[in-house]
Amino acid sequence: MVDPVPPYLSPEQLKHLQRLTDASRLRASLYPSPRPSGAARGNTPVAGRTRGAPRACADATSGE
């Protein structure tokens, strides 16, 4: 198996990547992600609204 070639970043590319990382961290700290609307009001999802497999009808299994 061949060892992967380590990536090389030029000093300009490394500086640009560091600026992008800093900007991303700053944005995450200044503007937190919005919470889902149900969680903001304290509501929990209703358990009966999940979609499961359809139930077989009793008449369909009788074979007539």
Side-chain angles (χ1 to χ4, degrees), residues 21-51:
T21 305
D22 291 341
S24 175
R25 288 181 180 148
L26 179 63
R27 181 177 181 203
S29 66
L30 292 176
Y31 306 106
S33 330
R35 294 173 50 179
S37 60
R41 291 185 302 232
N43 296 338
T44 57
V46 178
R49 293 191 184 180
T50 59
R51 293 181 63 177

Side-chain angles (χ1 to χ4, degrees), residues 58-64:
D59 295 333
T61 58
S62 63
E64 292 183 39

